Amino acid sequence: MKRLTSPLACCLLLLLVTQVTASAAEKQGFTWKDHPKQKTADLYFNGQPVLQYVYPFDNSTPEKFHDTYKVFHHVYGPQSGKVITKGPGGKYTHHRGLYVGWNKTGFEGKMLDFWHCKNGAHLRHEKFLEMKGGPKTGTMTAVIHWEDKEGKPVIVETRKVTVTPIEVANSDAPAWQIDWQTTLESKRGEITLDGDRQHAGFQYRAAQPVAEANNAVYIRPEGFPQQPAPFQVSDRTDPNKHVNLGWFEMSYEMDGKHYNVEYMEDPSVPKPSRYSERPYGRFGAFFDTKIDEGHPLKMNYRVIVSEGKTPSQAEIQKRYDQFVASLKKQDS
């Protein structure tokens, strides 16, 4: 048999080797793939989906506006590779993945709702500042405009999301450690951020099947209610009950898989921070505060998503203590 030594054969072989090498490299560590036409950006770890940043905006019809009035992040199961958060539609359509908003945003004698996005209020992706992968972390930073119905910015959000794979005792596979940093800057003078624990703050919403099963259960730190069922309070009757937990955890079953989501809040956020839990899979915390053009609000959270056995209270507390220590190290 003759060896392929012609220039064409050598070129073809080199092209094949290059493609295989690039494909292998693409599956190592974190990589981002932006899809400008559909307005989504996907983060992969060793070829497996981790997060999806969802940022289309279309106000050409009421239906398209409804589906695109909020920027959010979908989360994928660390082992299943399935989307485990909810988008538009389903129970409470405005709950979408990992998201932030306040239903009572007051300025210039007006009040806008950036939670339900009523009366034309919406969050619109403006631009990416960074989209970076690597062997240990995947990071994106985006500028998001919180706009009124005329499209004029009220708040400019700079959102940085960093994912790190970590080992957890309850799972054979790595968990996703999601560090969420949001800075809110006023563009309309003094702004009041207010609302209630059900309709404001930084929150997580599980996928629609969890609402249909109503099967979300919770773990909380020592000194707080220890029942697995959601501890539900009313801002009207008990506004200062179930506050300042620091962390809590939600677990749920979906499609035969067991998912765990640990929610950790920076202790320096304004107090009281009011916590909210629901059996259909929404949970998070809210506080009220004011910002102006010289004093932005900076928010830090950590969300750890694992798949498998529910972690213990002690394990979560240890991870929360590590999160707090990392924040102090950043400030020093």
Side-chain angles (χ1 to χ4, degrees), residues 28-267:
Q28 295 301 309
F30 286 96
T31 55
W32 282 97
K33 288 185 179 180
D34 186 28
H35 307 281
K37 289 187 178 181
Q38 67 187 61
K39 304 295 184 184
T40 60
D42 295 282
L43 176 64
Y44 296 86
F45 178 64
N46 294 341
Q48 180 178 342
V50 178
L51 287 181
Q52 182 180 72
Y53 176 61
V54 184
Y55 64 97
F57 178 71
D58 186 343
N59 60 357
S60 60
T61 68
E63 294 76 18
K64 289 181 179 179
F65 176 75
H66 165 273
D67 288 345
T68 62
Y69 58 47
K70 183 173 291 187
V71 177
F72 67 97
H73 284 74
H74 269 311
V75 181
Y76 291 82
Q79 290 178 260
S80 69
K82 305 292 186 181
V83 174
I84 62 172
T85 47
K86 189 184 79 65
K91 186 168 187 174
Y92 306 123
T93 184
H94 49 277
H95 295 168
R96 301 178 185 181
L98 281 168
Y99 64 109
V100 62
W102 269 261
N103 67 321
K104 294 182 180 179
T105 305
F107 65 99
E108 299 174 353
K110 308 172 186 177
M111 190 73 71
L112 287 185
D113 183 345
F114 288 110
W115 183 265
H116 304 90
C117 294
K118 295 180 178 178
N119 301 317
H122 58 274
L123 278 67
R124 183 181 61 79
H125 171 83
E126 176 68 14
K127 62 182 177 180
F128 288 108
L129 296 181
E130 179 184 49
M131 191 178 291
K132 184 170 64 175
K136 296 182 179 180
T137 62
T139 300
M140 62 146 284
T141 305
V143 175
I144 301 162
H145 285 186
W146 298 28
E147 298 177 339
D148 58 21
K149 64 181 180 180
E150 286 80 29
K152 184 178 179 182
V154 176
I155 293 172
V156 171
E157 175 187 357
T158 302
R159 180 182 302 180
K160 181 178 181 180
V161 179
T162 300
V163 182
T164 307
I166 63 169
E167 293 185 2
V168 292
N170 56 299
S171 177
D172 295 331
W176 306 140
Q177 176 180 289
I178 305 169
D179 286 306
W180 179 290
Q181 299 172 302
T182 277
T183 300
L184 302 180
E185 300 178 78
S186 168
K187 294 299 178 181
R188 308 288 276 272
E190 184 177 85
I191 296 177
T192 300
L193 299 175
D194 205 346
D196 60 79
R197 71 185 77 215
Q198 321 304 341
H199 306 102
F202 171 62
Q203 307 222 8
Y204 175 102
R205 174 61 197 272
Q208 178 61 21
V210 181
E212 294 168 3
N214 234 29
N215 66 354
V217 294
Y218 294 85
I219 299 175
R220 308 164 197 89
E222 288 186 15
F224 294 93
Q226 297 302 305
Q227 64 194 50
F231 187 74
Q232 303 186 56
V233 297
S234 167
D235 280 293
R236 285 192 288 265
T237 59
D238 295 300
N240 292 315
K241 197 171 185 178
H242 209 47
V243 302
N244 306 334
L245 276 70
W247 66 263
F248 59 164
E249 186 271 350
M250 176 176 70
S251 295
Y252 55 91
E253 302 278 345
M254 192 175 75
D255 298 329
K257 303 293 184 179
H258 186 89
Y259 300 102
N260 312 291
V261 184
E262 303 168 29
Y263 177 108
M264 302 175 184
E265 182 178 62
D266 183 346

